[in-house]
Amino acid sequence: MNQMQRILSARRLSHSIIPQSCFLHRRWFATSETDASSPPLSSAHQKIQTLEDKASNKSRSTALTTSSLNEQELAKFSAIADTWWHSEGPFKPLHLMNPTRLAFIRSTLCRHFSKDPSSARPFEGLRLIDVGCGGGLLSEPLARLGATVTGIDAVDKNVKIARLHADMDPMTSKIEYQCTTAEKLVDEGRTFDAVLALEVIEHVANPAEFCNSLSALTIPNGATILSTINRSMRAYASAIVAAEYILQWLPKGTHEWSSFLTPEELTMILQRASIDVKEMAGFVYNPITGRWLLSDDISVNFIAYGTKK
Amino acid sequence: MSDVIVLWDRVLARQLRTNVCGSKHIFQRACSTHVTRKVSSTAGSNESNANSTGDSPQHDIAIVGGGMVGIALAASLASKPLTKHLNVAIIDNNPLLGRKNIIEKGHLPDPRVSTVTPATISFLKDIGAWKYIEEQRHAYFDKMQVWDYTGLGYTRYNAKDVDQDILGCVVENKVLQSSQLSCVQESDLQKTIYPARLNSMDMLPSSSLTGLGEVPSTADLFMRGRLAKLELSDGNNVYAKLVVGADGSKSRVRELAGIKTTGWNYSQNAIICTVEHTVENFTAWQRFLPNGPIALLPVGDKFSNIVWTMDPTEASDRRSMSEDDFIKAVNDALDYGYGPHPETTSSGGSSLSWLTGDVNISAKERFETPPKVVKLSSERMMFPLSLRHAKDYVSNRVALVGDSAHTVHPLAGQGVNLGFADASALSRAIAEGIALGTDIGEANLLKRYEAERKPANIAMMAVLDGIQKMYAVNFGPLNAFRAAAFHGAHYISPLKKRIISYASGEQSLPLFS
């Protein structure tokens, strides 16, 4: 827990240009929730072992290219690919969450690469990769912030939609989109200054392999940012029951609670992949204003920033 | 630990300033060709549209209306590091806009003045315009007296009640406009001024750009819904990602965007003029008469500004009567005309001291008569008054600021202050959007601005309209209620502090703030 506290408090000490509207300041964060919901470190260890065993069984059966993908998950996304850029469609939660994620990314990457946070294009000269880019919701703002962005997705339809939308604005038309996987890019020997995989790891069959690929894509002392949903009771209540069944924000079956990772598990997996998690933050939804805010509450959605050793 | 971080950031900021300038040029070269052509104009001259591909000029923001609020938006964008690289077009029919018109020191004050609240003064200081305003004529005031014709009560306000030095400052509108324009012209903001009127405006819904060349032309981007197209009266076509309507209560932008309004005309006209006294005036005076309030505001150097609201027939009479008669009418209206002076009650009733809280300074002040007017120093201008509010402040690639979004009664001097607050909020929303890589014409960004300003503007309009209606009726019990309201505001300190704080713009909502 001390490590968690250190990681969470790192965000509060930072000097950043995050708009005040994105913040929800909490003077303390309830460790009790994360305590109750996540198994202690030793069983997290066990959980990772079982995940790795399951995945290696699967990959042994397919035998050919090692892949951390899950075919069923791909099919789910392919079905709704046309609605990526409809801000009121099935991807509405992502549209609402996007500014908040970008605030965290802008702040951590500006600090990591020592860029001027008050510049309009702080990522000028940085090569970023958006793994699981979907329709390009994250790639386009990153390109507007000056980065050289590559977006990859395993679903071909997504990449096509992303390409069409990016071509609409001269500032984003230079984004490179490819229908490929992180593993294939590792084989090609590509590397990037910062690797981002937001809301991807919960859809992946082998999270450990996936993190290894992400790490291989990052240059030494580069940055890696992942976001996902915590495997907690609260997350079951909000992200699955509320979001999929009651509010119907997401199609039923979008998320599998058992494939969520707790922050401790994610930290350990990343550690094994030579990535040191430096900062973590949570996203909290305020139903009255309809906006997402950054906070210390990592019990449902959380985002982690780490550096490659 | 945090000090170390702050110091480190300062060191980096100095080192990176050169990098930032360098990257600005890279950005401009990487963008489509039309933007690079505008880079060379930093002095705001109206660059020719002659370019190799014959494309129409493309801007990030087109501000329609170069009045106080439109220029305030441009100046606010120019003062923020995140937005000062933007390309802004200002469209205004006035051919003198942008020319260096030096206002001579000795001239008589223009009757068109505005009272700026302390909140607006800090906004103007932030954008760097206040130093120019201080070089011109301006009048701070720290006292205010409000009373009515029944003589049953009065309220005096003093800036010391809220531990401030001033309640507000009265500045001529053209001084406000020209100082902000100087800020814009000195900044790095790429601006182009189009001296023309807006004829028509068009924006299409988004669609994909398939089947086009590598660098789509402006017309292509417009056809695919990424830009708005403005047709001007001089035949130019201007394209912009965001159109801001700052063109006043009869806004053409609002009309073309199809935004409906609600509101009503007050059956009152206002006469404004400049008058002179024998002594200097440091107080703002307002007396509610049966047909409307008369306000006397200091403008500096023994001059004051009169805003007199009355019936339309009376208004045209008073406008056409001789100067001497008019001066007599004004002095009468401010003094014994229509009713007696209120009595100064001493010590405000010690039995109520539990309610009044700590005694405020102005509660002890006696009722004073305003200084006599000796001379009329300008022509008398007349304006009809109305209340108007746009149903939406934003629409596809359009945002409204200032009077185009809301028009209010001048009785509390709030109108343009609401407009400045709008300009500040919109530029903040644009800066936040740019920080997070959003396209500035996007609906969510604009809705943030609307959600911030609409409740505050509606609340202020409701308060002002309520006051206007309360004073429009001469009815015994209501007069007594108004007298009680005067006494309450005068003696109950917490209430007085809240009133001053709300009128100064420190709070944006009258309650719950």
PDB file of all heavy atoms in Angstrom, chain A residues 15-46:
ATOM      1  N   HIS A  15       3.392  19.952 -11.090  1.00  0.00           N
ATOM      2  CA  HIS A  15       2.986  21.256 -11.606  1.00  0.00           C
ATOM      3  C   HIS A  15       2.491  21.012 -13.011  1.00  0.00           C
ATOM      4  O   HIS A  15       3.203  20.469 -13.827  1.00  0.00           O
ATOM      5  CB  HIS A  15       4.221  22.156 -11.628  1.00  0.00           C
ATOM      6  CG  HIS A  15       4.039  23.402 -12.416  1.00  0.00           C
ATOM      7  ND1 HIS A  15       3.169  24.377 -12.063  1.00  0.00           N
ATOM      8  CD2 HIS A  15       4.616  23.820 -13.554  1.00  0.00           C
ATOM      9  CE1 HIS A  15       3.233  25.355 -12.935  1.00  0.00           C
ATOM     10  NE2 HIS A  15       4.100  25.057 -13.863  1.00  0.00           N
ATOM     11  N   SER A  16       1.268  21.358 -13.280  1.00  0.00           N
ATOM     12  CA  SER A  16       0.762  20.982 -14.600  1.00  0.00           C
ATOM     13  C   SER A  16      -0.214  22.003 -15.137  1.00  0.00           C
ATOM     14  O   SER A  16      -0.619  22.916 -14.454  1.00  0.00           O
ATOM     15  CB  SER A  16       0.064  19.632 -14.508  1.00  0.00           C
ATOM     16  OG  SER A  16      -1.135  19.801 -13.776  1.00  0.00           O
ATOM     17  N   ILE A  17      -0.600  21.801 -16.353  1.00  0.00           N
ATOM     18  CA  ILE A  17      -1.500  22.737 -17.024  1.00  0.00           C
ATOM     19  C   ILE A  17      -2.885  22.125 -17.135  1.00  0.00           C
ATOM     20  O   ILE A  17      -3.714  22.543 -17.908  1.00  0.00           O
ATOM     21  CB  ILE A  17      -0.911  23.097 -18.418  1.00  0.00           C
ATOM     22  CG1 ILE A  17      -1.516  24.384 -18.969  1.00  0.00           C
ATOM     23  CG2 ILE A  17      -1.102  21.966 -19.385  1.00  0.00           C
ATOM     24  CD1 ILE A  17      -0.901  25.629 -18.469  1.00  0.00           C
ATOM     25  N   ILE A  18      -3.123  21.050 -16.329  1.00  0.00           N
ATOM     26  CA  ILE A  18      -4.438  20.418 -16.397  1.00  0.00           C
ATOM     27  C   ILE A  18      -5.505  21.438 -16.016  1.00  0.00           C
ATOM     28  O   ILE A  18      -5.401  22.083 -14.989  1.00  0.00           O
ATOM     29  CB  ILE A  18      -4.511  19.225 -15.411  1.00  0.00           C
ATOM     30  CG1 ILE A  18      -3.481  18.175 -15.792  1.00  0.00           C
ATOM     31  CG2 ILE A  18      -5.891  18.618 -15.423  1.00  0.00           C
ATOM     32  CD1 ILE A  18      -3.516  16.974 -14.883  1.00  0.00           C
ATOM     33  N   PRO A  19      -6.528  21.608 -16.847  1.00  0.00           N
ATOM     34  CA  PRO A  19      -7.577  22.571 -16.492  1.00  0.00           C
ATOM     35  C   PRO A  19      -8.215  22.202 -15.164  1.00  0.00           C
ATOM     36  O   PRO A  19      -8.425  21.042 -14.883  1.00  0.00           O
ATOM     37  CB  PRO A  19      -8.608  22.411 -17.620  1.00  0.00           C
ATOM     38  CG  PRO A  19      -7.911  21.691 -18.695  1.00  0.00           C
ATOM     39  CD  PRO A  19      -6.780  20.932 -18.103  1.00  0.00           C
ATOM     40  N   GLN A  20      -8.496  23.200 -14.363  1.00  0.00           N
ATOM     41  CA  GLN A  20      -9.040  22.948 -13.040  1.00  0.00           C
ATOM     42  C   GLN A  20     -10.317  22.144 -13.106  1.00  0.00           C
ATOM     43  O   GLN A  20     -10.631  21.408 -12.200  1.00  0.00           O
ATOM     44  CB  GLN A  20      -9.299  24.272 -12.307  1.00  0.00           C
ATOM     45  CG  GLN A  20      -8.040  24.914 -11.780  1.00  0.00           C
ATOM     46  CD  GLN A  20      -7.235  23.963 -10.936  1.00  0.00           C
ATOM     47  OE1 GLN A  20      -7.726  23.377  -9.986  1.00  0.00           O
ATOM     48  NE2 GLN A  20      -5.981  23.775 -11.274  1.00  0.00           N
ATOM     49  N   SER A  21     -11.074  22.308 -14.175  1.00  0.00           N
ATOM     50  CA  SER A  21     -12.353  21.608 -14.268  1.00  0.00           C
ATOM     51  C   SER A  21     -12.177  20.102 -14.290  1.00  0.00           C
ATOM     52  O   SER A  21     -13.101  19.366 -14.034  1.00  0.00           O
ATOM     53  CB  SER A  21     -13.108  22.049 -15.518  1.00  0.00           C
ATOM     54  OG  SER A  21     -12.283  21.879 -16.650  1.00  0.00           O
ATOM     55  N   CYS A  22     -10.960  19.594 -14.608  1.00  0.00           N
ATOM     56  CA  CYS A  22     -10.773  18.153 -14.681  1.00  0.00           C
ATOM     57  C   CYS A  22     -10.480  17.536 -13.324  1.00  0.00           C
ATOM     58  O   CYS A  22     -10.402  16.336 -13.200  1.00  0.00           O
ATOM     59  CB  CYS A  22      -9.609  17.806 -15.620  1.00  0.00           C
ATOM     60  SG  CYS A  22     -10.062  18.017 -17.341  1.00  0.00           S
ATOM     61  N   PHE A  23     -10.273  18.369 -12.298  1.00  0.00           N
ATOM     62  CA  PHE A  23      -9.810  17.811 -11.037  1.00  0.00           C
ATOM     63  C   PHE A  23     -10.889  17.617 -10.000  1.00  0.00           C
ATOM     64  O   PHE A  23     -11.789  18.417  -9.867  1.00  0.00           O
ATOM     65  CB  PHE A  23      -8.778  18.740 -10.394  1.00  0.00           C
ATOM     66  CG  PHE A  23      -7.398  18.391 -10.811  1.00  0.00           C
ATOM     67  CD1 PHE A  23      -6.669  19.263 -11.581  1.00  0.00           C
ATOM     68  CD2 PHE A  23      -6.845  17.175 -10.474  1.00  0.00           C
ATOM     69  CE1 PHE A  23      -5.401  18.927 -11.992  1.00  0.00           C
ATOM     70  CE2 PHE A  23      -5.582  16.842 -10.884  1.00  0.00           C
ATOM     71  CZ  PHE A  23      -4.854  17.732 -11.634  1.00  0.00           C
ATOM     72  N   LEU A  24     -10.761  16.560  -9.253  1.00  0.00           N
ATOM     73  CA  LEU A  24     -11.594  16.389  -8.074  1.00  0.00           C
ATOM     74  C   LEU A  24     -10.603  16.176  -6.962  1.00  0.00           C
ATOM     75  O   LEU A  24      -9.986  15.123  -6.870  1.00  0.00           O
ATOM     76  CB  LEU A  24     -12.504  15.168  -8.246  1.00  0.00           C
ATOM     77  CG  LEU A  24     -13.361  14.819  -7.031  1.00  0.00           C
ATOM     78  CD1 LEU A  24     -14.339  15.929  -6.762  1.00  0.00           C
ATOM     79  CD2 LEU A  24     -14.116  13.546  -7.280  1.00  0.00           C
ATOM     80  N   HIS A  25     -10.372  17.155  -6.128  1.00  0.00           N
ATOM     81  CA  HIS A  25      -9.344  17.008  -5.096  1.00  0.00           C
ATOM     82  C   HIS A  25      -9.884  16.252  -3.925  1.00  0.00           C
ATOM     83  O   HIS A  25     -10.923  16.582  -3.386  1.00  0.00           O
ATOM     84  CB  HIS A  25      -8.888  18.399  -4.630  1.00  0.00           C
ATOM     85  CG  HIS A  25      -8.120  19.123  -5.684  1.00  0.00           C
ATOM     86  ND1 HIS A  25      -6.849  18.778  -6.025  1.00  0.00           N
ATOM     87  CD2 HIS A  25      -8.464  20.141  -6.487  1.00  0.00           C
ATOM     88  CE1 HIS A  25      -6.426  19.567  -6.982  1.00  0.00           C
ATOM     89  NE2 HIS A  25      -7.374  20.402  -7.291  1.00  0.00           N
ATOM     90  N   ARG A  26      -9.202  15.210  -3.541  1.00  0.00           N
ATOM     91  CA  ARG A  26      -9.602  14.498  -2.339  1.00  0.00           C
ATOM     92  C   ARG A  26      -8.445  14.578  -1.378  1.00  0.00           C
ATOM     93  O   ARG A  26      -7.324  14.262  -1.727  1.00  0.00           O
ATOM     94  CB  ARG A  26      -9.915  13.042  -2.681  1.00  0.00           C
ATOM     95  CG  ARG A  26     -11.296  12.880  -3.275  1.00  0.00           C
ATOM     96  CD  ARG A  26     -11.434  11.542  -3.951  1.00  0.00           C
ATOM     97  NE  ARG A  26     -11.357  10.453  -3.003  1.00  0.00           N
ATOM     98  CZ  ARG A  26     -12.348   9.579  -2.819  1.00  0.00           C
ATOM     99  NH1 ARG A  26     -13.467   9.707  -3.487  1.00  0.00           N
ATOM    100  NH2 ARG A  26     -12.219   8.581  -1.997  1.00  0.00           N
ATOM    101  N   ARG A  27      -8.726  14.996  -0.154  1.00  0.00           N
ATOM    102  CA  ARG A  27      -7.645  15.129   0.820  1.00  0.00           C
ATOM    103  C   ARG A  27      -7.097  13.797   1.247  1.00  0.00           C
ATOM    104  O   ARG A  27      -5.979  13.674   1.665  1.00  0.00           O
ATOM    105  CB  ARG A  27      -8.112  15.893   2.052  1.00  0.00           C
ATOM    106  CG  ARG A  27      -8.601  17.242   1.692  1.00  0.00           C
ATOM    107  CD  ARG A  27      -7.804  18.363   2.327  1.00  0.00           C
ATOM    108  NE  ARG A  27      -8.275  19.598   1.724  1.00  0.00           N
ATOM    109  CZ  ARG A  27      -9.379  20.201   2.111  1.00  0.00           C
ATOM    110  NH1 ARG A  27     -10.057  19.747   3.123  1.00  0.00           N
ATOM    111  NH2 ARG A  27      -9.804  21.289   1.496  1.00  0.00           N
ATOM    112  N   TRP A  28      -7.910  12.781   1.201  1.00  0.00           N
ATOM    113  CA  TRP A  28      -7.456  11.439   1.543  1.00  0.00           C
ATOM    114  C   TRP A  28      -8.096  10.511   0.535  1.00  0.00           C
ATOM    115  O   TRP A  28      -9.108  10.820  -0.052  1.00  0.00           O
ATOM    116  CB  TRP A  28      -7.883  11.080   2.953  1.00  0.00           C
ATOM    117  CG  TRP A  28      -9.328  11.363   3.182  1.00  0.00           C
ATOM    118  CD1 TRP A  28      -9.893  12.531   3.589  1.00  0.00           C
ATOM    119  CD2 TRP A  28     -10.426  10.473   2.950  1.00  0.00           C
ATOM    120  NE1 TRP A  28     -11.245  12.424   3.637  1.00  0.00           N
ATOM    121  CE2 TRP A  28     -11.621  11.183   3.261  1.00  0.00           C
ATOM    122  CE3 TRP A  28     -10.528   9.149   2.526  1.00  0.00           C
ATOM    123  CZ2 TRP A  28     -12.877  10.605   3.150  1.00  0.00           C
ATOM    124  CZ3 TRP A  28     -11.788   8.585   2.417  1.00  0.00           C
ATOM    125  CH2 TRP A  28     -12.945   9.320   2.735  1.00  0.00           C
ATOM    126  N   PHE A  29      -7.514   9.372   0.331  1.00  0.00           N
ATOM    127  CA  PHE A  29      -8.216   8.404  -0.486  1.00  0.00           C
ATOM    128  C   PHE A  29      -8.452   7.170   0.355  1.00  0.00           C
ATOM    129  O   PHE A  29      -7.670   6.805   1.199  1.00  0.00           O
ATOM    130  CB  PHE A  29      -7.453   8.095  -1.776  1.00  0.00           C
ATOM    131  CG  PHE A  29      -6.123   7.445  -1.564  1.00  0.00           C
ATOM    132  CD1 PHE A  29      -5.985   6.073  -1.594  1.00  0.00           C
ATOM    133  CD2 PHE A  29      -5.008   8.235  -1.335  1.00  0.00           C
ATOM    134  CE1 PHE A  29      -4.755   5.491  -1.402  1.00  0.00           C
ATOM    135  CE2 PHE A  29      -3.776   7.653  -1.152  1.00  0.00           C
ATOM    136  CZ  PHE A  29      -3.642   6.274  -1.188  1.00  0.00           C
ATOM    137  N   ALA A  30      -9.585   6.510   0.109  1.00  0.00           N
ATOM    138  CA  ALA A  30      -9.975   5.383   0.950  1.00  0.00           C
ATOM    139  C   ALA A  30      -9.198   4.167   0.536  1.00  0.00           C
ATOM    140  O   ALA A  30      -9.451   3.576  -0.500  1.00  0.00           O
ATOM    141  CB  ALA A  30     -11.472   5.128   0.802  1.00  0.00           C
ATOM    142  N   THR A  31      -8.211   3.818   1.366  1.00  0.00           N
ATOM    143  CA  THR A  31      -7.473   2.588   1.045  1.00  0.00           C
ATOM    144  C   THR A  31      -8.363   1.392   1.312  1.00  0.00           C
ATOM    145  O   THR A  31      -8.160   0.327   0.786  1.00  0.00           O
ATOM    146  CB  THR A  31      -6.214   2.469   1.901  1.00  0.00           C
ATOM    147  OG1 THR A  31      -6.584   2.661   3.269  1.00  0.00           O
ATOM    148  CG2 THR A  31      -5.208   3.530   1.512  1.00  0.00           C
ATOM    149  N   SER A  32      -9.374   1.625   2.164  1.00  0.00           N
ATOM    150  CA  SER A  32     -10.217   0.482   2.534  1.00  0.00           C
ATOM    151  C   SER A  32     -10.874  -0.134   1.312  1.00  0.00           C
ATOM    152  O   SER A  32     -11.001  -1.333   1.202  1.00  0.00           O
ATOM    153  CB  SER A  32     -11.289   0.925   3.527  1.00  0.00           C
ATOM    154  OG  SER A  32     -11.950   2.054   3.012  1.00  0.00           O
ATOM    155  N   GLU A  33     -11.285   0.726   0.363  1.00  0.00           N
ATOM    156  CA  GLU A  33     -11.960   0.162  -0.812  1.00  0.00           C
ATOM    157  C   GLU A  33     -11.030  -0.707  -1.618  1.00  0.00           C
ATOM    158  O   GLU A  33     -11.364  -1.814  -1.981  1.00  0.00           O
ATOM    159  CB  GLU A  33     -12.520   1.280  -1.676  1.00  0.00           C
ATOM    160  CG  GLU A  33     -13.820   1.798  -1.096  1.00  0.00           C
ATOM    161  CD  GLU A  33     -14.482   2.774  -2.027  1.00  0.00           C
ATOM    162  OE1 GLU A  33     -13.945   3.866  -2.206  1.00  0.00           O
ATOM    163  OE2 GLU A  33     -15.521   2.429  -2.571  1.00  0.00           O
ATOM    164  N   THR A  34      -9.842  -0.164  -1.886  1.00  0.00           N
ATOM    165  CA  THR A  34      -8.926  -0.978  -2.685  1.00  0.00           C
ATOM    166  C   THR A  34      -8.483  -2.201  -1.896  1.00  0.00           C
ATOM    167  O   THR A  34      -8.287  -3.269  -2.446  1.00  0.00           O
ATOM    168  CB  THR A  34      -7.684  -0.161  -3.116  1.00  0.00           C
ATOM    169  OG1 THR A  34      -7.248   0.589  -1.989  1.00  0.00           O
ATOM    170  CG2 THR A  34      -8.044   0.785  -4.231  1.00  0.00           C
ATOM    171  N   ASP A  35      -8.390  -2.018  -0.577  1.00  0.00           N
ATOM    172  CA  ASP A  35      -8.007  -3.157   0.260  1.00  0.00           C
ATOM    173  C   ASP A  35      -9.036  -4.277   0.146  1.00  0.00           C
ATOM    174  O   ASP A  35      -8.709  -5.424  -0.103  1.00  0.00           O
ATOM    175  CB  ASP A  35      -7.958  -2.723   1.741  1.00  0.00           C
ATOM    176  CG  ASP A  35      -6.558  -2.290   2.119  1.00  0.00           C
ATOM    177  OD1 ASP A  35      -5.608  -2.758   1.460  1.00  0.00           O
ATOM    178  OD2 ASP A  35      -6.433  -1.491   3.029  1.00  0.00           O
ATOM    179  N   ALA A  36     -10.287  -3.883   0.336  1.00  0.00           N
ATOM    180  CA  ALA A  36     -11.344  -4.908   0.362  1.00  0.00           C
ATOM    181  C   ALA A  36     -11.479  -5.578  -0.989  1.00  0.00           C
ATOM    182  O   ALA A  36     -11.728  -6.771  -1.077  1.00  0.00           O
ATOM    183  CB  ALA A  36     -12.662  -4.260   0.763  1.00  0.00           C
ATOM    184  N   SER A  37     -11.349  -4.773  -2.033  1.00  0.00           N
ATOM    185  CA  SER A  37     -11.665  -5.338  -3.340  1.00  0.00           C
ATOM    186  C   SER A  37     -10.514  -6.112  -3.940  1.00  0.00           C
ATOM    187  O   SER A  37     -10.720  -7.057  -4.675  1.00  0.00           O
ATOM    188  CB  SER A  37     -12.069  -4.222  -4.288  1.00  0.00           C
ATOM    189  OG  SER A  37     -11.020  -3.274  -4.325  1.00  0.00           O
ATOM    190  N   SER A  38      -9.307  -5.693  -3.670  1.00  0.00           N
ATOM    191  CA  SER A  38      -8.212  -6.387  -4.343  1.00  0.00           C
ATOM    192  C   SER A  38      -7.572  -7.388  -3.392  1.00  0.00           C
ATOM    193  O   SER A  38      -7.419  -7.128  -2.212  1.00  0.00           O
ATOM    194  CB  SER A  38      -7.170  -5.384  -4.823  1.00  0.00           C
ATOM    195  OG  SER A  38      -6.583  -4.772  -3.704  1.00  0.00           O
ATOM    196  N   PRO A  39      -7.193  -8.514  -3.894  1.00  0.00           N
ATOM    197  CA  PRO A  39      -6.568  -9.532  -3.028  1.00  0.00           C
ATOM    198  C   PRO A  39      -5.189  -9.035  -2.610  1.00  0.00           C
ATOM    199  O   PRO A  39      -4.577  -8.267  -3.330  1.00  0.00           O
ATOM    200  CB  PRO A  39      -6.486 -10.763  -3.929  1.00  0.00           C
ATOM    201  CG  PRO A  39      -6.563 -10.235  -5.316  1.00  0.00           C
ATOM    202  CD  PRO A  39      -7.348  -8.977  -5.266  1.00  0.00           C
ATOM    203  N   PRO A  40      -4.711  -9.442  -1.487  1.00  0.00           N
ATOM    204  CA  PRO A  40      -3.359  -9.019  -1.071  1.00  0.00           C
ATOM    205  C   PRO A  40      -2.303  -9.483  -2.060  1.00  0.00           C
ATOM    206  O   PRO A  40      -2.561 -10.335  -2.889  1.00  0.00           O
ATOM    207  CB  PRO A  40      -3.167  -9.676   0.310  1.00  0.00           C
ATOM    208  CG  PRO A  40      -4.237 -10.691   0.414  1.00  0.00           C
ATOM    209  CD  PRO A  40      -5.346 -10.295  -0.476  1.00  0.00           C
ATOM    210  N   LEU A  41      -1.126  -8.894  -1.952  1.00  0.00           N
ATOM    211  CA  LEU A  41      -0.120  -9.053  -2.989  1.00  0.00           C
ATOM    212  C   LEU A  41       0.193 -10.507  -3.323  1.00  0.00           C
ATOM    213  O   LEU A  41       0.395 -10.856  -4.473  1.00  0.00           O
ATOM    214  CB  LEU A  41       1.177  -8.347  -2.573  1.00  0.00           C
ATOM    215  CG  LEU A  41       1.134  -6.840  -2.812  1.00  0.00           C
ATOM    216  CD1 LEU A  41       2.281  -6.139  -2.120  1.00  0.00           C
ATOM    217  CD2 LEU A  41       1.186  -6.566  -4.299  1.00  0.00           C
ATOM    218  N   SER A  42       0.189 -11.346  -2.337  1.00  0.00           N
ATOM    219  CA  SER A  42       0.582 -12.718  -2.658  1.00  0.00           C
ATOM    220  C   SER A  42      -0.419 -13.396  -3.565  1.00  0.00           C
ATOM    221  O   SER A  42      -0.056 -14.097  -4.500  1.00  0.00           O
ATOM    222  CB  SER A  42       0.763 -13.519  -1.371  1.00  0.00           C
ATOM    223  OG  SER A  42      -0.421 -13.398  -0.606  1.00  0.00           O
ATOM    224  N   SER A  43      -1.704 -13.142  -3.333  1.00  0.00           N
ATOM    225  CA  SER A  43      -2.663 -13.806  -4.220  1.00  0.00           C
ATOM    226  C   SER A  43      -2.733 -13.109  -5.566  1.00  0.00           C
ATOM    227  O   SER A  43      -3.149 -13.704  -6.552  1.00  0.00           O
ATOM    228  CB  SER A  43      -4.051 -13.901  -3.580  1.00  0.00           C
ATOM    229  OG  SER A  43      -4.478 -12.624  -3.218  1.00  0.00           O
ATOM    230  N   ALA A  44      -2.319 -11.823  -5.596  1.00  0.00           N
ATOM    231  CA  ALA A  44      -2.235 -11.147  -6.896  1.00  0.00           C
ATOM    232  C   ALA A  44      -1.204 -11.858  -7.747  1.00  0.00           C
ATOM    233  O   ALA A  44      -1.386 -12.112  -8.930  1.00  0.00           O
ATOM    234  CB  ALA A  44      -1.848  -9.686  -6.714  1.00  0.00           C
ATOM    235  N   HIS A  45      -0.107 -12.191  -7.091  1.00  0.00           N
ATOM    236  CA  HIS A  45       0.940 -12.985  -7.700  1.00  0.00           C
ATOM    237  C   HIS A  45       0.356 -14.255  -8.314  1.00  0.00           C
ATOM    238  O   HIS A  45       0.587 -14.597  -9.470  1.00  0.00           O
ATOM    239  CB  HIS A  45       1.920 -13.407  -6.607  1.00  0.00           C
ATOM    240  CG  HIS A  45       3.352 -13.192  -6.980  1.00  0.00           C
ATOM    241  ND1 HIS A  45       3.891 -13.640  -8.145  1.00  0.00           N
ATOM    242  CD2 HIS A  45       4.334 -12.567  -6.319  1.00  0.00           C
ATOM    243  CE1 HIS A  45       5.168 -13.304  -8.185  1.00  0.00           C
ATOM    244  NE2 HIS A  45       5.461 -12.645  -7.089  1.00  0.00           N
ATOM    245  N   GLN A  46      -0.436 -14.938  -7.468  1.00  0.00           N
ATOM    246  CA  GLN A  46      -1.051 -16.184  -7.931  1.00  0.00           C
ATOM    247  C   GLN A  46      -1.929 -15.942  -9.140  1.00  0.00           C
ATOM    248  O   GLN A  46      -1.898 -16.691 -10.106  1.00  0.00           O
ATOM    249  CB  GLN A  46      -1.932 -16.782  -6.837  1.00  0.00           C
ATOM    250  CG  GLN A  46      -1.192 -17.635  -5.848  1.00  0.00           C
ATOM    251  CD  GLN A  46      -2.162 -18.201  -4.840  1.00  0.00           C
ATOM    252  OE1 GLN A  46      -3.060 -17.513  -4.380  1.00  0.00           O
ATOM    253  NE2 GLN A  46      -1.991 -19.453  -4.500  1.00  0.00           N
TER     254      GLN A  46
END
